[in-house]
Amino acid sequence: MNVLVVGNGGREHALCSSIQESPQCEKLFCIPGSDAIASIAECHPVNINDNQAVVEFCKQRNITFVAVGPEFPLTNGLVDDLEINNIAAFGPDQKGAMLEKSKIYTKEICDEYDVPTGRYKKFDDFEEACEYCAAISFPAVIKADGLAAGKGVIIAQNQTEAEQAVFKCMKEEAFSDAGKEIIIEEFLEGEEVSLFSLVDASGFILPLTTAQDHKKINEGEKGLNTGGMGAYCPAPSISNDRLRALSNQFVAPIVKALQNRGIAFRGMFYAGIILTKHGPRLLEVNVRFGDPETQAILPRIRSDVLEILRAASIGKLNQIKEIEWDHRYCMTVVMSTKGYPEDYPRGTPMPNLDIINLSPDHYVFHAGTKKQNGNWVSNGGRVLAVSSLGETINKARDNVYSTIDQIEWKDGYYRKDIGYRYAK
Ligand code: GLY
């Protein structure tokens, strides 16, 4: 079959790398893709937020399966428009994508179905939100309701910071419409785990794996929030039994809640969970592969990834008897341009990317690069996601940093403590 991957980052580079290995993949396309992805998929500059343009592209290329990477096309109803045109797609429809689009929507489902989550209150009025800030204990978390590229969550240490965060969301409109409504939530303490489960429209749930990512820009979890500076898979503290138990506790009731509302969720159910001393609590739901978690998950899957994703999209997940995993850990470290997540230069040279020595268990996924006069240069904030497998988490970490050591990039930055909880 002809297959299309939608997106252009490190996650999509990893998806294309795995999908192109499938014997069922005759021709692989990626929109808009990137210069790096172009070495494994035919890339075209189609606007991924224009559903009709994507549908037309698929029809012209006889594409029968689409894997959608980023959240915006999902919340924009791309899967709905593809399916109307008989093109199978991995990802939820627009209604299912509400789980990621609106934190209030997901919180209200949690309330109704007794899914453990942090105590919260929602606001659409600035003064009321500020009055509430005067009455709560700190730290507290202020969250913009809508999509804010991972930036709409602010931890306030005191009333002044909380009011500033409310102002930023509701008056300054720093997150545009996403911050018109907010929630103010209790701060939950504990280890964070990302739980990935595949779901199909029949309601079949296949718990996939866990990962942990590092959101802060600086070592020791300090500084500004980013899209993610590194990840590893699986989370060492979560056994396979615990993975299934967490999936039963958090994924199953929400999928059921959606079914009761006439919504057949399918695709990736990515639950952000925090393991508090009072038990696990749901932090958020995303409806897609994580970035950079995907770059740590896919190198461990030995089964046919295209077959698995397609089964989820056509209601046949129950036919996937078992996913074959590489038993080793995989760790991903993100290299970003110095300055990210604030201002940073573009076009900085990465002179030896094509000639570094990469053995089979090491991967360099490109998140924000381009070729300029035949040479690789940076073209974004998060630029590379370097992944390595290793027998232990320590070994995975040694391997990934030894690949990074080979990369010449004087404007690059990376955290040296990815996996610090477990790697010594
Ligand atoms: N790594 C966080 C995310 O993909 O949302």
Side-chain angles (χ1 to χ4, degrees), residues 126 130 144 151 154 160-182:
F126 174 72
C130 287
K151 295 183 194 138
I154 302 162
T160 308
E161 284 183 19
E163 286 171 357
Q164 281 166 353
V166 172
F167 188 83
K168 191 171 176 183
C169 293
M170 300 182 98
K171 291 284 185 196
E172 244 174 38
E173 295 181 5
F175 312 115
S176 311
D177 281 357
K180 276 195 169 143
E181 291 188 74
I182 61 166

Side-chain angles (χ1 to χ4, degrees), residues 213 215 227 270 286 288 290-293:
D213 74 343
K215 291 255 168 54
Y270 160 179
N286 297 314
R288 50 173 173 80
D291 189 345
E293 294 92 325

